[in-house]
């Protein structure tokens, strides 16, 4: 069965893609203006110390590294 409202489908698709682009731009601009730690504070994330942030970043980056270069492929 063929649908006749292709214009409405395009409008909905444009709205969804536009919203996603705006959210991504807001996250990127927030990171550039406030820095990484300031952006986390704006989002409501608080850490007890800067060492906690360093540990979090180290573990996140090492996990992605080991997933990419796994010995058990």
């Amino acid at each position: 069965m063929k649908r006749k409202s292709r214009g409405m489908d395009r409008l909905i698709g444009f709205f969804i893609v536009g919203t996603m682009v705006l959210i991504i731009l807001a996250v990127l601009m927030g990171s550039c203006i406030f820095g990484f730690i300031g952006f986390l504070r704006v989002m409501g994330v608080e850490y007890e110390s800067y060492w906690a942030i360093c540990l979090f970043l180290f573990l996140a980056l090492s996990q992605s590294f080991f997933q990419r270069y796994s010995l058990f492929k």
Side-chain angles (χ1 to χ4, degrees):
M1 190 170 172
K2 244 184 174 180
R3 294 182 63 185
K4 295 182 181 180
S5 62
R6 291 179 88 69
M8 190 64 167
D9 289 345
R10 288 183 181 176
L11 182 66
I12 292 171
F14 179 76
F15 178 74
I16 291 172
V17 170
T19 304
M20 289 172 52
V21 167
L22 284 177
I23 291 171
I24 291 169
L25 285 176
V27 168
L28 288 176
M29 291 305 292
S31 296
C32 291
I33 293 172
F34 300 115
F36 182 71
I37 296 169
F39 180 69
L40 289 176
R41 284 189 183 163
V42 168
M43 296 299 288
V45 178
E46 292 184 15
Y47 288 94
E48 293 179 11
S49 68
Y50 289 109
W51 289 108
I53 295 173
C54 292
L55 180 63
F56 169 74
L57 290 174
F58 173 74
L59 291 175
L61 292 174
S62 64
Q63 178 189 11
S64 64
F65 175 79
F66 286 121
Q67 281 181 348
R68 177 171 283 191
Y69 301 108
S70 176
L71 297 175
F72 303 109
K73 283 186 177 182

Short mmCIF file of all heavy atoms in Angstrom, two decimals, residues 26-55:
data_model
loop_
_atom_site.label_atom_id
_atom_site.label_comp_id
_atom_site.label_asym_id
_atom_site.label_seq_id
_atom_site.Cartn_x
_atom_site.Cartn_y
_atom_site.Cartn_z
N ALA A 26 25.01 22.18 20.70
CA ALA A 26 24.95 22.72 22.06
C ALA A 26 25.98 22.03 22.96
O ALA A 26 26.67 22.69 23.75
CB ALA A 26 23.56 22.55 22.64
N VAL A 27 26.13 20.72 22.82
CA VAL A 27 27.13 19.99 23.62
C VAL A 27 28.53 20.43 23.24
O VAL A 27 29.38 20.68 24.11
CB VAL A 27 26.94 18.47 23.44
CG1 VAL A 27 28.11 17.71 24.01
CG2 VAL A 27 25.65 18.02 24.08
N LEU A 28 28.81 20.55 21.94
CA LEU A 28 30.14 20.96 21.51
C LEU A 28 30.46 22.39 21.93
O LEU A 28 31.57 22.67 22.41
CB LEU A 28 30.26 20.83 19.99
CG LEU A 28 30.32 19.41 19.45
CD1 LEU A 28 30.32 19.43 17.93
CD2 LEU A 28 31.54 18.69 19.97
N MET A 29 29.53 23.31 21.78
CA MET A 29 29.78 24.68 22.17
C MET A 29 29.92 24.81 23.69
O MET A 29 30.73 25.59 24.18
CB MET A 29 28.65 25.60 21.68
CG MET A 29 28.64 25.76 20.18
SD MET A 29 30.20 26.31 19.49
CE MET A 29 30.26 27.96 20.11
N GLY A 30 29.15 24.04 24.43
CA GLY A 30 29.29 24.04 25.89
C GLY A 30 30.65 23.54 26.31
O GLY A 30 31.26 24.07 27.24
N SER A 31 31.16 22.54 25.63
CA SER A 31 32.49 22.03 25.95
C SER A 31 33.57 23.04 25.60
O SER A 31 34.54 23.19 26.34
CB SER A 31 32.76 20.73 25.17
OG SER A 31 31.88 19.72 25.57
N CYS A 32 33.40 23.75 24.50
CA CYS A 32 34.42 24.74 24.10
C CYS A 32 34.42 25.95 25.02
O CYS A 32 35.47 26.46 25.39
CB CYS A 32 34.18 25.19 22.66
SG CYS A 32 34.49 23.92 21.45
N ILE A 33 33.26 26.44 25.40
CA ILE A 33 33.18 27.66 26.20
C ILE A 33 33.54 27.40 27.65
O ILE A 33 34.33 28.13 28.25
CB ILE A 33 31.77 28.27 26.09
CG1 ILE A 33 31.54 28.76 24.66
CG2 ILE A 33 31.58 29.41 27.09
CD1 ILE A 33 30.13 29.20 24.38
N PHE A 34 32.98 26.37 28.25
CA PHE A 34 33.16 26.13 29.67
C PHE A 34 34.32 25.18 29.97
O PHE A 34 34.69 25.01 31.12
CB PHE A 34 31.90 25.54 30.29
CG PHE A 34 30.71 26.44 30.15
CD1 PHE A 34 29.63 26.07 29.38
CD2 PHE A 34 30.67 27.67 30.79
CE1 PHE A 34 28.54 26.89 29.26
CE2 PHE A 34 29.58 28.50 30.67
CZ PHE A 34 28.51 28.12 29.90
N GLY A 35 34.87 24.54 28.97
CA GLY A 35 35.85 23.50 29.22
C GLY A 35 35.15 22.22 29.63
O GLY A 35 33.94 22.21 29.89
N PHE A 36 35.89 21.14 29.72
CA PHE A 36 35.26 19.84 30.01
C PHE A 36 34.68 19.81 31.42
O PHE A 36 33.54 19.40 31.62
CB PHE A 36 36.30 18.72 29.83
CG PHE A 36 35.73 17.36 30.07
CD1 PHE A 36 34.85 16.80 29.16
CD2 PHE A 36 36.07 16.64 31.20
CE1 PHE A 36 34.32 15.54 29.38
CE2 PHE A 36 35.54 15.39 31.42
CZ PHE A 36 34.65 14.84 30.51
N ILE A 37 35.43 20.28 32.40
CA ILE A 37 34.98 20.22 33.78
C ILE A 37 33.82 21.20 34.00
O ILE A 37 32.84 20.87 34.67
CB ILE A 37 36.15 20.50 34.73
CG1 ILE A 37 37.19 19.39 34.58
CG2 ILE A 37 35.70 20.60 36.17
CD1 ILE A 37 38.50 19.67 35.26
N GLY A 38 33.93 22.39 33.44
CA GLY A 38 32.84 23.36 33.56
C GLY A 38 31.57 22.88 32.89
O GLY A 38 30.47 23.11 33.38
N PHE A 39 31.73 22.18 31.76
CA PHE A 39 30.55 21.65 31.07
C PHE A 39 29.88 20.57 31.90
O PHE A 39 28.65 20.51 31.97
CB PHE A 39 30.95 21.10 29.70
CG PHE A 39 29.80 20.54 28.93
CD1 PHE A 39 28.82 21.38 28.44
CD2 PHE A 39 29.68 19.19 28.72
CE1 PHE A 39 27.75 20.88 27.73
CE2 PHE A 39 28.61 18.68 28.02
CZ PHE A 39 27.65 19.53 27.52
N LEU A 40 30.69 19.73 32.58
CA LEU A 40 30.09 18.73 33.46
C LEU A 40 29.33 19.39 34.61
O LEU A 40 28.26 18.92 35.00
CB LEU A 40 31.17 17.79 34.00
CG LEU A 40 31.78 16.82 33.00
CD1 LEU A 40 32.89 16.02 33.65
CD2 LEU A 40 30.73 15.89 32.44
N ARG A 41 29.86 20.48 35.14
CA ARG A 41 29.16 21.19 36.21
C ARG A 41 27.85 21.79 35.72
O ARG A 41 26.86 21.80 36.44
CB ARG A 41 30.05 22.28 36.79
CG ARG A 41 31.12 21.72 37.67
CD ARG A 41 31.83 22.82 38.40
NE ARG A 41 32.91 22.26 39.19
CZ ARG A 41 33.89 22.95 39.69
NH1 ARG A 41 33.95 24.26 39.47
NH2 ARG A 41 34.83 22.38 40.40
N VAL A 42 27.86 22.33 34.50
CA VAL A 42 26.62 22.88 33.94
C VAL A 42 25.58 21.78 33.79
O VAL A 42 24.39 21.99 34.04
CB VAL A 42 26.91 23.57 32.58
CG1 VAL A 42 25.64 23.88 31.83
CG2 VAL A 42 27.73 24.82 32.80
N MET A 43 26.01 20.58 33.41
CA MET A 43 25.10 19.46 33.25
C MET A 43 24.66 18.85 34.58
O MET A 43 23.80 17.99 34.62
CB MET A 43 25.74 18.38 32.38
CG MET A 43 26.01 18.82 30.96
SD MET A 43 24.54 19.29 30.06
CE MET A 43 23.79 17.71 29.82
N GLY A 44 25.27 19.30 35.68
CA GLY A 44 24.86 18.81 37.00
C GLY A 44 25.72 17.70 37.55
O GLY A 44 25.38 17.10 38.57
N VAL A 45 26.84 17.40 36.91
CA VAL A 45 27.73 16.34 37.38
C VAL A 45 28.77 16.96 38.29
O VAL A 45 29.41 17.95 37.94
CB VAL A 45 28.43 15.63 36.19
CG1 VAL A 45 29.39 14.57 36.68
CG2 VAL A 45 27.40 15.04 35.26
N GLU A 46 28.92 16.41 39.48
CA GLU A 46 29.93 16.90 40.41
C GLU A 46 30.81 15.74 40.86
O GLU A 46 30.32 14.66 41.13
CB GLU A 46 29.27 17.55 41.63
CG GLU A 46 28.54 18.82 41.29
CD GLU A 46 27.99 19.50 42.51
OE1 GLU A 46 28.41 19.14 43.63
OE2 GLU A 46 27.14 20.37 42.35
N TYR A 47 32.09 16.00 40.92
CA TYR A 47 33.05 15.01 41.38
C TYR A 47 33.65 15.49 42.69
O TYR A 47 33.70 16.68 42.97
CB TYR A 47 34.17 14.82 40.34
CG TYR A 47 33.72 14.08 39.11
CD1 TYR A 47 33.29 14.77 37.98
CD2 TYR A 47 33.73 12.71 39.07
CE1 TYR A 47 32.88 14.10 36.86
CE2 TYR A 47 33.32 12.03 37.95
CZ TYR A 47 32.89 12.74 36.84
OH TYR A 47 32.48 12.08 35.74
N GLU A 48 34.15 14.54 43.48
CA GLU A 48 34.75 14.90 44.75
C GLU A 48 36.10 15.57 44.55
O GLU A 48 36.50 16.41 45.34
CB GLU A 48 34.89 13.66 45.63
CG GLU A 48 33.54 13.08 46.06
CD GLU A 48 33.71 11.86 46.92
OE1 GLU A 48 34.84 11.58 47.36
OE2 GLU A 48 32.70 11.18 47.14
N SER A 49 36.82 15.16 43.53
CA SER A 49 38.14 15.75 43.30
C SER A 49 38.47 15.65 41.81
O SER A 49 37.80 14.96 41.05
CB SER A 49 39.19 15.02 44.12
OG SER A 49 39.35 13.70 43.64
N TYR A 50 39.53 16.35 41.43
CA TYR A 50 39.97 16.28 40.04
C TYR A 50 40.61 14.94 39.73
O TYR A 50 40.66 14.51 38.58
CB TYR A 50 40.93 17.43 39.73
CG TYR A 50 40.23 18.76 39.69
CD1 TYR A 50 40.41 19.71 40.68
CD2 TYR A 50 39.38 19.05 38.65
CE1 TYR A 50 39.76 20.92 40.63
CE2 TYR A 50 38.72 20.27 38.58
CZ TYR A 50 38.91 21.20 39.58
OH TYR A 50 38.26 22.39 39.52
N TRP A 51 41.10 14.25 40.75
CA TRP A 51 41.66 12.92 40.51
C TRP A 51 40.58 11.95 40.07
O TRP A 51 40.84 11.03 39.30
CB TRP A 51 42.35 12.39 41.77
CG TRP A 51 43.61 13.13 42.06
CD1 TRP A 51 43.83 14.02 43.07
CD2 TRP A 51 44.83 13.06 41.32
NE1 TRP A 51 45.09 14.51 43.01
CE2 TRP A 51 45.73 13.94 41.94
CE3 TRP A 51 45.24 12.37 40.19
CZ2 TRP A 51 47.02 14.13 41.47
CZ3 TRP A 51 46.52 12.56 39.72
CH2 TRP A 51 47.39 13.42 40.35
N ALA A 52 39.36 12.14 40.54
CA ALA A 52 38.25 11.28 40.11
C ALA A 52 37.98 11.47 38.62
O ALA A 52 37.71 10.51 37.90
CB ALA A 52 37.00 11.58 40.93
N ILE A 53 38.06 12.71 38.16
CA ILE A 53 37.86 12.98 36.73
C ILE A 53 38.98 12.34 35.91
O ILE A 53 38.73 11.72 34.87
CB ILE A 53 37.78 14.49 36.47
CG1 ILE A 53 36.56 15.07 37.16
CG2 ILE A 53 37.74 14.79 34.99
CD1 ILE A 53 36.48 16.56 37.11
N CYS A 54 40.22 12.48 36.39
CA CYS A 54 41.35 11.88 35.67
C CYS A 54 41.22 10.37 35.62
O CYS A 54 41.49 9.75 34.59
CB CYS A 54 42.67 12.27 36.34
SG CYS A 54 43.04 14.02 36.19
N LEU A 55 40.81 9.76 36.73
CA LEU A 55 40.63 8.30 36.76
C LEU A 55 39.52 7.89 35.80
O LEU A 55 39.65 6.90 35.07
CB LEU A 55 40.31 7.84 38.18
CG LEU A 55 40.08 6.35 38.37
CD1 LEU A 55 41.36 5.57 38.03
CD2 LEU A 55 39.64 6.06 39.78
#
